[in-house]
Amino acid sequence: MPLAIGILVLAGWAVMATFGGGIDLGDGIPGGGPTGMFLALALGAPAAAVVVLQTHRARVWRWWGTRLALAGAGGLALWAAASIAWAAAPDLAWIDANRSLIALAALVVGIGTGVAVPRAPRALGLGITAAGMLPLAVALGVKVLPGMFGDDRDLARLSAPVGYWNAVALIAVFVLPGLLWLATSPARPRHGPWLAGAGTALAVTVLVLTYSRGGIFAAALAVVVTLALTPATWRGVAALAGGLAGSVLPLAHALGTAALNSDNVPVAMREGPGLELGWRMLVGMALAGAVAALAPRVTQRAVGDPARASRAAAIACAGVAALGVVGVLATPDGRTWVGDRWAEVRGEGGDAVANDAGRLVNASGNQRAAWWGQAWRGFEDAPLAGHGAGGFRLVHLAERRVENDRLITDEPHDTLLRTMSGLGLVGLALLLSLAVGVVAGVRRALIARPDPDLALPAAILAAFAMQSAVDWSWAIPALTIPAFAAAGVMLAAAVPGVVPRVRRAPAALPPALAVVAVVAAASALLPWWSARTADAADAALARGDAERAVELADAAAARNPLALGPLRVRAQAHRVLGDEPRAYGAFVEMTRVQPDNPAAWRQLALYLDNDPRATEAWRRVLELSPRDGDAAAQIGG
């Protein structure tokens, strides 16, 4: 049963990553992302419950590291749910609690898979590699076959099909450990090196076309971890070298062709260049496969001893890196380039980075220093409990020091500060508990069972941890599911075996798990259902059926009484019907539901227009968002 559940989870993850990545921004807009998040929790919670019942005899469930990790993950979900009571945006706290529940379910399924599935680390790593090829193929399809996978609004920076470029980049990173295993493991299939080289060329091409600097660093870390923990390093280096060489031809075309490196180019103008990219990609993959398969044979013949070949490969890599550094620093132009990058790190000359290929050699933090400062100040304002889970959007408005609405963000791009700002010291303690438990499991697994297959989940975890320090990966289920499943597999590897004296699960366990699964599924259903119903109300209003819009808005508000969207549609529908008192009441209700959200007061102020009461509403907007230019202008007038 755990094996079947693991296969279904991987298949579901591949579909989710291909249709929005489970990203739900809490803006009330339905689509593949919110639907994926709903299904991930609605199906993942029962799956986790079944896995616990099937593997309850395993020692790993009783080990302190596992319990600490589960307490941290479960505590984050519960504390996020509790923060609904004091959050400025309680609907966002609800969504964030669901995100944490998805991560917890993935951790539990990973532990169960590690217990019940033979060679689970290998199975997970190769499964993620195989499943991840689907979203990567679709991502590249936007460039190669824009008429099928793209549209006229596509950006040059590759973000489809997840909807966020850095998430696509990290999925490309997740597939690399399994690909390198196909080249390095003694148990590799016959054509493993060919597949490793070709797949690496595809993954590297997608990674670079996302223009994700963090993704490239995460890829480097994943490769280092994989090669450090697997035998036959020279085979891995050959596969990597083949992949890099094979990516040169398609990348040179994609980055150097205006139709492919510019935003909003019509599909008709991209079809020809896209097909040219396609054949270059195929040629590059063939070249990469050949290098990965043939280079190790040449190396082994030249060097002889496999261990000696591995050392030679490591020395060669270090030598190439050292020569590159020396070559850059030895020339005036090189030193100037390094000086420019250092200035960017320090934030000199501005901190914003354009979404073009030039960002790959730009060292600026791209507003992160400002966002991190805002998150820290938000933590200082509410150090114990925070401002509510997932509510950095409002902390940002309150703490920003520059009036530029184009720089408004929903996330501080750092998991630690995100947790501190949203959930305070309690959330920080829970996050550290999770981290300590997982790290203890990884350390024990690698020391007690030095199995090369452990390189796969270890590399995935390392890449996710690095990216989470500079991005909002924690809020994207398409990234947390494989990372937490990898953590679970590592914990299971740390404490193998079962407890002989335990035969049956405690009588209270099945009903308790059933209740948790039902509550989690309902928690996933209601906000998703409310958003879809509110969207249907908007559609009814657009076609002139205001009475139906009111009916649907009321239903949406009943399913999620914490959200502003249903109340906004209700107010607009009453205005169309000429019922101004009810319209005004709906706008006022928005300020009662979320009294600390400037968006609610803005809606009320805009409705009141020239009414004297609008000034008070604008004043409230300015209190909650001091850099709001509209509110300042209205009060100044």
Side-chain angles (χ1 to χ4, degrees), residues 65-471:
T66 303
R67 292 186 171 183
L68 190 62
L70 290 173
L76 283 170
L78 290 175
W79 190 241
S83 74
I84 293 173
W86 65 82
D91 54 335
L92 299 182
W94 189 353
I95 290 173
D96 208 59
N98 287 343
R99 293 189 189 110
S100 296
L101 285 172
I102 291 173
L104 174 62
L107 179 63
V108 171
V109 171
I111 294 172
T113 301
V115 168
V117 177
R119 313 299 300 182
R122 178 193 304 178
L124 176 71
L126 295 180
I128 289 175
T129 295
M133 284 298 170
L134 176 61
L136 294 189
V138 173
L140 195 59
V142 173
K143 297 285 188 181
V144 176
L145 299 171
M148 182 180 299
F149 296 103
D151 58 48
D152 293 343
R153 297 168 296 175
D154 289 332
L155 302 178
R157 192 176 183 189
L158 200 58
S159 61
V162 181
Y164 182 51
W165 30 69
N166 290 345
V168 178
L170 198 54
I171 291 174
V173 174
F174 285 164
V175 309
L176 288 176
L179 290 171
L180 294 179
W181 182 94
L182 291 173
T184 60
S185 174
R188 65 187 181 277
R190 178 181 177 184
H191 300 295
W194 287 87
L195 294 173
T200 300
L202 174 65
V204 169
T205 300
V206 172
L207 172 60
V208 174
L209 290 180
T210 64
Y211 306 163
S212 174
R213 298 166 299 170
I216 291 174
F217 281 111
L221 178 61
V223 167
V224 169
V225 171
T226 304
L227 295 181
L229 297 177
T230 52
T233 304
W234 83 98
R235 294 184 182 275
V237 172
L240 180 63
L244 293 174
S247 68
V248 170
L249 186 63
L251 284 174
H253 177 70
L255 298 176
T257 303
L260 300 178
N261 65 20
S262 303
D263 296 341
N264 309 125
V265 176
V267 166
M269 296 178 61
R270 288 158 42 208
E271 289 182 336
L275 290 176
E276 292 182 18
L277 173 62
W279 73 255
R280 285 174 169 83
M281 187 74 255
L282 293 176
V283 170
M285 292 172 68
L287 171 64
V291 171
L294 300 178
R297 300 178 187 177
V298 175
T299 303
Q300 190 167 3
R301 288 175 184 173
V303 180
D305 180 37
R308 190 177 169 191
S310 293
R311 289 194 298 271
I315 293 171
C317 290
V320 170
L323 285 175
V325 173
V326 172
V328 169
L329 296 178
T331 63
D333 289 343
R335 290 192 294 272
T336 299
W337 183 86
V338 171
D340 291 343
R341 302 292 78 76
W342 177 243
E344 289 164 356
V345 170
R346 296 169 59 186
E348 298 174 11
D351 197 33
V353 184
N355 284 321
D356 56 28
R359 67 184 291 112
L360 291 172
V361 293
N362 190 309
S364 168
N366 196 24
Q367 311 300 322
R368 279 171 173 76
W371 296 334
W372 295 343
Q374 293 159 12
W376 177 258
R377 293 192 294 274
F379 166 69
E380 290 180 321
D381 292 339
L384 181 60
H387 292 273
F392 180 74
R393 181 185 306 174
L394 303 187
V395 174
H396 165 68
L397 293 176
E399 300 292 344
R400 63 177 177 160
R401 294 176 175 174
V402 177
E403 181 200 336
N404 187 347
D405 290 346
R406 291 177 299 177
L407 301 179
I408 287 178
T409 183
D410 293 339
E411 295 284 347
H413 293 66
D414 177 90
T415 296
L416 188 66
L417 288 169
R418 179 185 194 274
T419 303
M420 294 169 65
S421 174
L423 298 176
L425 289 173
V426 175
L428 176 61
L430 293 168
L431 180 64
L432 293 178
S433 297
L434 169 63
V436 169
V438 171
V439 169
V442 171
R443 181 177 180 275
R444 177 165 176 162
L446 294 178
I447 293 176
R449 299 180 61 193
D451 184 355
D453 290 345
L454 292 174
L456 280 68
I460 290 171
L461 263 177
F464 178 79
M466 171 178 278
Q467 186 82 324
S468 295
V470 294
D471 214 333

Side-chain angles (χ1 to χ4, degrees), residues 31 53 82 122 194 251 260 272 284-285 305 330 335 340 347 352 388 437 480 503 514 523 525-526 547 563 583 608 623:
L53 289 176
R122 178 193 304 178
W194 287 87
L251 284 174
L260 300 178
M285 292 172 68
D305 180 37
R335 290 192 294 272
D340 291 343
T480 57
R503 298 298 178 189
S523 180
L525 172 65
L526 291 176
E547 292 183 354
L608 292 172
E623 290 175 0

